[in-house]
Amino acid sequence: MQDRVYVWEAPVRVTHWINVICILALSVTGFYIGNPFLVARETSAFLMGWMRFVHFVVAYIFVVNMAVRIYWAFAGNKYAVWQEILPFTGDRMGKLFSHMSYYAFLGKKPPTELGHTPLASAGYCIMYALFALSAVTGFALYSQPHHHGFLQFAFGWVFGIMSIPATRLLHHLTMWLIFYFVILHIYLVLFQNSTSKSGILGSIFDGYRFVPSKKAGK
Amino acid sequence: MRDLPEDYSDNSEQPFDRLVARGVTRRDFMKFCSAMAAVLALPHTFAGKIAEAIEAARRPSLVWLEFQDCCGNSEALLRASKPTIGRIVLDILSVDYHETIMAAAGKQAEKSLYDVVDKQKGKYIAVVEGSIPMKDNGVYCCVGGKSALDIARKVCGNAMATIAVGTCATAGGIPAAKPNPTGAVGVKTAVPGITLINLPGCPMNVENLTATVVHFLTFGALPATDGEGRPLFAYGERIHDHCERRAHFDAGQFVRQWGDEGHRQGWCLYEMGCKGPETYGNCPVVKYNMGTSWPVQAGHGCVGCYQANFWDNMTPFYRRLPKVPGFGVETTADKIGIGVAAVAAAGVAAHRIARAIKGKGEEETEE
Ligand code: HEM
Ligand code: HEM
Ligand code: SF4
């Protein structure tokens, strides 16, 4: 028999799916901004205008959503806290290696984790770093029309580190790096879902995972 | 704004008298003053104040130094098509030294430079065109046996104010492009701590130089600048935000190839590598050669020449994004991106196949 354990509270699930929608919208509009493949017939059209508008509005949602998740990394349950995400805490480094050797077909199957597996959380760490990078470079680019003002004050320093074209390039490349991790992320979730009965796939929808009865309980 | 000494010249000749002597009419002069008010983003009522100031001005001495340059900024000054405006600038100021246009040569010329430096210490304006080489004690650019660095230190160090014109003088420009064999830098780096205004551009726009001087004569102070010492009236806004092709950008109408239908229609040059979105300057508003045209109007994208190190940072000029460091010129960011994503996909596929071969043995062991 299996017991249900409530692992992902609503804020984790909701921010996850808002995040997914944001990344999709930002990627589609960002890709158009980078390579405007559609040509408008009329000059009265506002194709690039809308793409940029949507990109910027979603960018704000994306950043606020990320802030909510970061707040929850301090306020949430034991599976959502930041110690679960940073790979250096506790014995997570050791677990990380046993998971890596399992995925490389070298080691034995490690015990299923209820929260993030150490390998997954290492990936999330990199993903969050990439999100932060795209937000910083993105807001720096966004501050450009305003040579002075709040945004310039908050993000203008980026152009002291790298030129404006280099910032655009980095912002652009970040999108592809995020794709890389998203592909691996979805695959690993599906892989784990099919190799264990802990119900990982369902967990991001309803929050519950399953454990054999004896392991359950506080 | 930095205040400058009141008595910057003991030369009592009135510029306006000289202009009249040269056939400049009152009407031309007032037009010039209104144009200057516009460039400086002042209300047009300031034209009168500017006219008064210029009429009353005692002509400050100006010396024009040329170092590692192509003379493009001097050209820009001299090529001002309506003679009146260019002349007005030269006549408001007493240009005592300018290698390219002065009659004197050799020792005689150098003497007139040092006469100004010695006799009018702290009262003259120095204009610098071209970069200053720092490597090997500055031997790569010498005038009359003195290195550019020594000349700049002496001349700019004793000036009331220095105006660096062109991207070379402001930030090293083309001589400073990688690998920068002469160690070229701009005036700001070569002679730190002086009163300096930067007017970058390849070349700078004479209207901005004129307006800076007019501002100085009118208000007795240099114009407000940004963090790089560039006057905000000229470098405070992005080219892309004032471009006449911007409506095509927002609409989504882009030139794809030189000479294609869109190019003939005057569509946006974004995809042809226009650097207007990365560059601050008033080109679309003031334009060049007395308001005749500017690169984008002529059908060529902006190359970002107003930005420091544009030769390194804004290239390739005909691509929107720079090349990715460490990859070939032909490799675009997207090719690398597709490669990265393909590696992920291939990894996923390989993992699936390996798993199929290994069999699903372990799966049910959990319970
Ligand atoms: C996952 C997040 C994001 C992705 C995948 C993404 C993607 C992109 C891409 C591909 C471009 C085109 C870059 C180019 O080729 O020049 C772009 C442009 C841009 N992005 Fe993002 N972006 C993201 C987040 C953000 C954020 C958070 C902001 C902040 C406001 C932002 C602001 C911008 C701006 C200002 C531009 C330039 C638009 C223009 O030139 O008008 N982006 N983005
Ligand atoms: C743009 C696409 C996606 C991104 C950027 C993304 C990102 C993330 C991140 C950052 C986490 C960590 C959650 C946290 O603690 O905050 C996470 C967890 C999770 N995601 Fe996604 N995700 C994406 C798409 C998907 C999809 C399509 C699925 C379903 C097939 C999925 C299933 C899951 C699951 C099951 C977890 C929890 C797994 C665990 O670590 O135990 N994700 N995702
Ligand atoms: S031509 Fe250049 S500056 Fe003008 S709208 Fe297009 S990208 Fe912007």
Side-chain angles (χ1 to χ4, degrees):
Chain A
M1 265 306 292
Q2 286 192 313
D3 289 341
R4 285 171 98 215
V5 183
Y6 190 47
V7 179
W8 304 126
E9 297 152 293
V12 173
R13 290 165 2 232
V14 171
T15 52
H16 179 268
W17 291 112
I18 291 180
N19 193 32
V20 171
I21 295 166
C22 287
I23 298 283
L24 289 178
L26 287 167
S27 300
V28 170
T29 53
F31 194 82
Y32 182 81
I33 297 168
N35 305 275
F37 45 89
L38 296 174
V39 174
R41 288 228 191 83
E42 303 291 332
T43 307
S44 58
F46 198 59
L47 193 53
M48 179 59 104
W50 279 116
M51 290 290 181
R52 292 177 66 243
F53 180 72
V54 171
H55 193 82
F56 303 152
V57 170
V58 176
Y60 273 109
I61 299 173
F62 170 71
V63 168
V64 171
N65 184 61
M66 202 156 53
V68 171
R69 180 62 184 88
I70 290 170
Y71 163 73
W72 205 250
F74 295 93
N77 68 12
K78 62 175 175 172
Y79 304 106
V81 291
W82 60 271
Q83 290 91 336
E84 282 288 293
I85 295 176
L86 292 181
F88 320 106
T89 47
D91 58 347
R92 292 187 82 77
M93 271 308 214
K95 285 193 190 163
L96 178 61
F97 283 110
S98 60
H99 274 88
M100 270 159 70
S101 51
Y102 169 62
Y103 283 114
F105 303 110
L106 295 173
K108 275 185 61 70
K109 185 170 166 57
T112 303
E113 300 272 337
L114 276 182
H116 300 314
T117 66
L119 180 60
S121 54
Y124 300 145
C125 250
I126 298 175
M127 270 207 247
Y128 280 119
L130 290 172
F131 297 161
L133 189 62
S134 66
V136 169
T137 52
F139 273 101
L141 291 174
Y142 187 59
S143 77
Q144 279 187 103
H146 323 282
H147 201 19
H148 21 83
F150 173 73
L151 279 174
Q152 186 69 27
F153 167 77
F155 296 100
W157 54 269
V158 173
F159 300 138
I161 299 173
M162 55 191 150
S163 69
I164 303 177
T167 311
R168 285 194 81 116
L169 179 63
L170 189 57
H171 189 74
H172 192 113
L173 284 175
T174 313
M175 175 180 77
W176 288 106
L177 290 175
I178 291 173
F179 285 1
Y180 179 85
F181 281 95
V182 166
I183 293 173
L184 293 183
H185 165 62
I186 295 176
Y187 177 66
L188 289 182
V189 166
L190 296 179
F191 176 74
Q192 234 209 358
N193 195 56
S194 67
T195 53
S196 95
K197 289 195 172 144
S198 63
I200 183 170
L201 182 55
S203 72
I204 200 69
F205 294 95
D206 65 8
Y208 287 96
R209 295 193 66 175
F210 301 99
V211 288
S213 292
K214 57 177 172 0
K215 270 204 236 166
K218 281 271 136 84
Chain B
M1 294 213 281
R2 185 124 34 130
D3 287 327
L4 296 159
E6 281 279 296
D7 56 333
Y8 48 76
S9 171
D10 46 17
N11 187 335
S12 59
E13 212 178 337
Q14 298 257 306
F16 189 65
D17 299 341
R18 288 169 54 95
L19 293 173
V20 172
R22 283 179 183 264
V24 175
T25 64
R26 183 83 203 160
R27 195 182 150 78
D28 288 339
F29 180 65
M30 287 314 293
K31 258 162 89 181
F32 167 79
C33 294
S34 321
M36 283 302 119
V39 174
L40 287 168
L42 296 169
H44 72 277
T45 45
F46 267 83
K49 186 160 193 240
I50 290 173
E52 273 168 38
I54 292 176
E55 279 168 344
R58 285 160 304 174
R59 306 166 65 221
S61 280
L62 180 142
V63 295
W64 186 294
L65 305 177
E66 275 187 72
F67 299 131
Q68 295 191 126
D69 71 331
C70 66
C71 201
N73 296 286
S74 298
E75 282 290 325
L77 175 70
L78 301 171
R79 288 289 169 276
S81 62
K82 281 183 219 148
T84 50
I85 306 296
R87 278 284 139 65
I88 286 173
V89 195
L90 293 175
D91 281 329
I92 294 171
L93 301 160
S94 160
V95 180
D96 292 331
Y97 178 85
H98 188 309
E99 285 163 9
T100 309
I101 59 175
M102 70 198 296
K107 290 227 165 65
Q108 203 191 353
E110 293 310 292
K111 185 176 176 299
S112 53
L113 174 61
Y114 292 104
D115 277 352
V116 174
V117 174
D118 293 337
K119 290 187 192 143
Q120 300 188 45
K121 210 172 172 148
K123 292 178 186 173
Y124 63 92
I125 298 175
V127 175
V128 181
E129 173 177 10
S131 66
I132 298 167
M134 303 288 273
K135 240 187 219 166
D136 304 322
N137 280 327
V139 294
Y140 300 108
C141 178
C142 293
V143 182
K146 291 199 178 99
S147 74
L149 183 57
D150 287 341
I151 299 173
R153 276 194 186 133
K154 183 155 172 81
V155 176
C156 303
N158 288 310
M160 164 169 62
T162 301
I163 306 176
V165 295
T167 304
C168 295
T170 54
I174 294 169
K178 283 191 192 101
N180 193 359
T182 65
V185 297
V187 178
K188 197 179 179 182
T189 316
V191 195
I194 56 173
T195 305
L196 177 71
I197 283 274
N198 279 330
L199 299 179
C202 197
M204 56 92 205
N205 197 331
V206 217
E207 310 253 346
N208 292 337
L209 173 62
T210 315
T212 302
V213 171
V214 165
H215 186 285
F216 168 64
L217 294 177
T218 310
F219 300 107
L222 293 170
T225 59
D226 66 7
E228 291 176 46
R230 311 184 293 183
L232 288 172
F233 73 80
Y235 298 87
E237 307 264 329
R238 195 167 61 146
I239 290 193
H240 184 57
D241 297 323
H242 291 276
C243 175
E244 66 249 28
R245 299 190 184 215
R246 179 59 187 261
H248 295 296
F249 173 86
D250 289 332
Q253 296 183 309
F254 302 97
V255 177
R256 290 280 165 73
Q257 253 182 348
W258 301 116
D260 70 3
E261 184 56 25
H263 198 210
R264 271 172 281 167
Q265 301 279 337
W267 286 359
C268 169
L269 296 157
Y270 182 69
E271 286 205 272
M272 303 308 289
C274 178
K275 301 297 184 299
E278 278 93 24
T279 307
Y280 292 85
N282 57 358
C283 307
V285 181
V286 174
K287 303 186 183 176
Y288 271 74
N289 298 329
M290 309 315 293
T292 308
S293 187
W294 68 291
V296 167
Q297 187 178 346
H300 190 285
C302 165
V303 299
C305 73
Y306 278 31
Q307 299 299 112
N309 305 328
F310 76 99
W311 204 266
D312 294 328
N313 293 342
M314 298 291 174
T315 44
F317 289 144
Y318 301 105
R319 289 252 173 103
R320 226 177 44 69
L321 293 177
K323 83 182 186 77
V324 184
F327 289 85
V329 185
E330 289 307 308
T331 319
T332 61
D334 287 334
K335 280 190 194 147
I336 294 170
I338 290 168
V340 167
V343 167
V348 164
H351 197 249
R352 282 224 73 88
I353 292 165
R355 202 170 140 246
I357 294 169
K358 195 161 179 267
K360 295 182 171 186
E362 288 180 22
E363 258 144 67
E364 305 306 326
T365 58
E366 205 174 300
E367 263 122 324

